């Protein structure tokens, strides 16, 4: 009996695994019109059940658009990890050591995203600098060493992830100011890798901080590809570097990487779940820890050249489909640091196509299937996140499209723009 039930159990898990793996791959071809697998094989569609609209992501790895889709190998690893309990500490330790080896740094932890990486890394710097306990964060920190030095042009929305450790920011602009900003209260120097402002470069930033014996943190959340950025910044000398797991690496959206110096990573891990520090609410479940590791494996198996080639092919296919429309001009543009992949820019004359780029975006959003274009579409600000846009510019982020979706986007764009030519 025992043996029988064990065998049955194995078969059951084997079936689930294969179905999940197949589901991931079939899912890729859903939009190509392949017959869908049955509900039993793939699990119930809870987006349908809940009435949540599935979208085509022609925007990019935006958090509010659920960032990315995990590749089939990552989906399968997540599903498989869900089949067994493990000791969380064992998994965190083994995942960290594996990632540190693959990513050529001293130590690593899987965090609940880059924002959580910022909090945990800052917590590590605070506890190391003060030799204080994790429970001193945040309430006691105002009486302790609590200063983070940052360039004025690097202040951003993610500051809050540092502030929840009770620190305060000391802003600098010139390198002289920077050198003078260090005091016996400094715990960390913070750098925003994709900042479009700020006159102090990475190497100078690290050199001066280290001259004062202060650790340097680099937020590079959205800054892969290139794949080598996963080790470039730690090898350059940053003591801590964080990446978002759900952006270019295409891991689970609630996962991220914190990489760096062994003592700081150990201190950051001390504030992490399951301990009762500032990271207690930033839990990464076993499925997502495994998913993050599997995503790194997937990402390292890619090449910058083949990724870029595929994204250019998608952009070119969409551009070719629109070329008969009056006044259309297209360009492929690669932002310099964050989201460093080909984006398609579509420009036109409002005299010939009587619709604003914002209205094109709205129409695609309202259509079926619902399509999200890059939010810099039709922006009056001129340039944002390294993309030069304008009121008559449509921006298509092609890198998060699933196979076959580029032509769905192309046909919808053509339909909406062609209609406006006769308006
Ligand atoms: C996206 C992003 C984050 C937050 O990343 P999550 O993984 O969503 O927590 C932090 N910093 C920068 C610069 C980002 O682009």
């Amino acid at each position: 009996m025992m043996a029988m039930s064990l065998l049955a159990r194995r078969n059951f898990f084997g079936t689930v695994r294969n179905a999940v793996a197949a589901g991931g791959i079939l899912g890729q071809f859903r939009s190509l019109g392949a017959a869908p697998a049955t509900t039993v094989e793939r699990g119930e569609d809870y987006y349908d059940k809940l009435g949540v609209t599935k979208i085509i992501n022609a925007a990019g790895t935006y958090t509010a658009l659920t960032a990315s889709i995990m590749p089939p190998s990552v989906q399968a690893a997540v599903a498989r990890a869900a089949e067994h309990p493990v000791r969380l500490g064992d998994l965190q330790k083994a995942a960290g050591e594996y990632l540190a080896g693959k990513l050529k740094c001293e130590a690593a932890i899987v965090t609940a995203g880059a924002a959580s990486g910022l909090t945990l890394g800052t917590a590590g710097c605070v506890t190391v600098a003060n030799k204080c306990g994790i429970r001193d964060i945040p309430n006691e920190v105002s009486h302790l060493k609590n200063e983070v030095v940052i360039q004025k042009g690097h202040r951003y929305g993610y500051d809050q992830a540092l502030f929840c450790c009770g620190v305060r920011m000391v802003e600098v602009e010139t390198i002289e100011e920077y050198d003078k900003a260090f005091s016996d209260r400094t715990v960390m120097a913070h750098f925003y890798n994709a900042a479009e402002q700020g006159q102090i470069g990475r190497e100078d930033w690290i050199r001066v901080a280290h001259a004062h014996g202060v650790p340097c943190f680099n937020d590079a959340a959205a800054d892969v590809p290139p794949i080598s950025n996963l080790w470039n910044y730690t090898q350059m000398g940053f003591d801590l570097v964080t990446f978002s797991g759900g952006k270019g690496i295409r891991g689970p959206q609630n996962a991220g990487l914190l990489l760096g110096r062994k003592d700081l990573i150990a201190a950051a891990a001390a504030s992490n779940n399951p301990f009762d520090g500032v990271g207690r609410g930033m839990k990464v479940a076993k499925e997502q820890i495994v998913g993050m590791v599997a995503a790194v494996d997937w990402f390292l198996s890619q090449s910058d050249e083949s990724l870029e080639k595929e994204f250019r092919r998608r952009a070119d296919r969409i551009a070719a489909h629109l070329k008969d429309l009056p006044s259309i001009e297209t360009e492929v543009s690669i932002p310099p640091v964050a989201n460093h992949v080909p984006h398609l820019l579509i420009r036109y004359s409002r005299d010939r196509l009587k619709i604003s780029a914002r209205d094109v975006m709205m129409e695609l959003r309202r259509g079926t299937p619902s399509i999200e274009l890059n939010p810099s579409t039709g922006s009056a600000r001129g340039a944002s996140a390294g993309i030069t846009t304008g009121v008559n510019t449509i921006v298509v982020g092609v890198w998060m499209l699933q196979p076959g979706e580029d032509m769905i986007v192309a046909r919808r764009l053509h339909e909406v723009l062609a209609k406006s030519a006769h308006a």
Side-chain angles (χ1 to χ4, degrees):
M1 280 310 285
M2 193 65 183
M4 276 295 288
S5 70
L6 254 179
L7 191 63
R9 213 171 120 79
R10 272 206 199 105
N11 283 340
F12 171 74
F13 282 130
T15 308
V16 171
R17 265 204 295 277
N18 292 338
V20 168
I25 292 154
L26 278 172
Q28 302 267 316
F29 290 99
R30 183 198 52 209
S31 50
L32 292 178
T38 66
T39 304
V40 176
E41 280 173 324
R42 299 185 52 203
E44 187 157 7
D45 187 332
Y46 270 84
Y47 294 137
D48 287 352
K49 187 169 188 171
L50 298 172
V52 175
T53 305
K54 291 174 223 165
I55 61 171
I56 289 180
N57 181 357
T61 58
Y62 292 89
T63 302
L65 301 177
T66 64
S68 64
I69 291 293
M70 295 183 283
S73 65
V74 181
Q75 292 187 27
V78 168
R80 196 157 179 172
E83 293 173 6
H84 289 284
V86 292
R87 291 186 181 83
L88 183 61
D90 291 352
L91 178 58
Q92 286 173 331
K93 183 165 178 288
E97 285 169 2
Y98 182 89
L99 289 169
K102 290 278 176 181
L103 303 180
K104 311 174 195 191
C105 54
E106 275 183 33
I109 43 177
V110 176
T111 64
S116 151
L118 292 174
T119 302
L120 292 175
T122 305
C125 290
V126 167
T127 50
V128 166
N130 290 293
K131 301 186 176 62
C132 66
I134 61 167
R135 301 278 294 236
D136 292 326
I137 296 174
N139 287 1
E140 300 307 318
V141 177
S142 59
H143 317 300
L144 303 170
K145 298 183 185 183
N146 63 356
E147 290 179 358
V148 172
V149 186
I150 189 168
Q151 294 185 70
K152 196 171 179 184
H154 287 216
R155 296 295 305 270
Y156 59 172
Y158 298 104
D159 288 348
Q160 210 64 23
L162 281 65
F163 287 145
C164 64
C165 292
V167 296
R168 54 180 293 265
M169 302 268 190
V170 176
E171 284 183 8
V172 299
E173 288 185 89
T174 65
I175 191 128
E176 292 75 27
E177 280 171 22
Y178 180 41
D179 193 38
K180 289 202 194 90
F182 290 89
S183 75
D184 57 4
R185 296 178 64 81
T186 312
V187 295
M188 186 176 110
H190 190 51
F191 196 89
Y192 169 23
N193 196 53
E196 288 171 350
Q197 281 148 29
Q199 47 182 285
I200 308 170
R202 295 181 188 90
E203 264 101 358
D204 284 337
W205 192 257
I206 296 166
R207 182 178 48 75
V208 174
H210 286 178
H212 291 276
V214 167
C216 255
F217 197 151
N218 188 8
D219 176 357
D223 305 345
V224 288
I227 296 162
S228 59
N229 275 357
L230 289 174
W231 48 88
N232 285 343
Y233 301 124
T234 44
Q235 301 213 325
M236 191 182 282
F238 282 104
D239 304 279
L240 290 169
V241 181
T242 190
F243 291 96
S244 194
K247 292 181 180 170
I249 308 170
R250 290 179 60 188
Q253 196 189 7
N254 57 348
L257 300 171
L258 181 64
L259 313 173
R261 233 170 69 189
K262 211 168 187 148
D263 61 327
L264 294 174
I265 293 289
S271 278
N272 196 17
N273 167 271
F275 309 111
D276 293 325
V278 69
R280 179 61 182 84
M282 301 173 184
K283 186 186 293 164
V284 193
K286 59 187 178 306
E287 294 84 355
Q288 278 71 49
I289 295 174
V290 167
M292 186 72 251
V293 176
V296 167
D297 276 344
W298 173 81
F299 196 54
L300 294 179
S301 76
Q302 306 295 300
S303 78
D304 293 333
E305 296 70 30
S306 62
L307 288 172
E308 178 172 338
K309 216 160 122 192
E310 169 58 22
F311 301 148
R312 278 190 187 277
R313 255 200 303 268
R314 297 176 192 177
D316 291 346
R317 271 199 291 264
I318 298 170
H321 192 73
L322 302 176
K323 102 174 166 277
D324 67 327
L325 290 165
S327 78
I328 286 274
E329 281 172 23
T330 59
E331 181 200 336
V332 174
S333 165
I334 301 183
V337 185
N339 308 307
H340 183 67
V341 288
H343 287 61
L344 177 64
L345 274 54
I346 305 161
R347 299 195 176 88
Y348 57 94
S349 159
R350 279 294 289 279
D351 296 334
R352 309 298 303 279
L353 297 173
K354 300 182 182 71
I355 184 168
S356 72
R358 284 271 154 187
D359 284 342
V360 170
M361 185 155 103
M362 295 304 181
E363 282 222 30
L364 262 61
R365 182 175 293 159
R366 278 194 299 262
T368 308
S370 179
I371 296 167
E372 283 292 335
L373 292 173
N374 186 279
S376 60
T377 293
S379 167
R381 276 202 297 154
S384 75
I387 298 172
T388 306
T389 176
V391 282
N392 299 332
T393 304
I394 295 166
V395 183
V396 187
V398 296
W399 64 320
M400 290 298 129
L401 293 172
Q402 297 291 99
E405 289 180 344
D406 52 358
M407 286 313 294
I408 301 176
V409 174
R411 283 193 288 269
R412 271 297 285 158
L413 279 171
H414 193 279
E415 189 174 42
V416 169
L417 289 169
K419 200 170 61 182
S420 78
H422 310 296

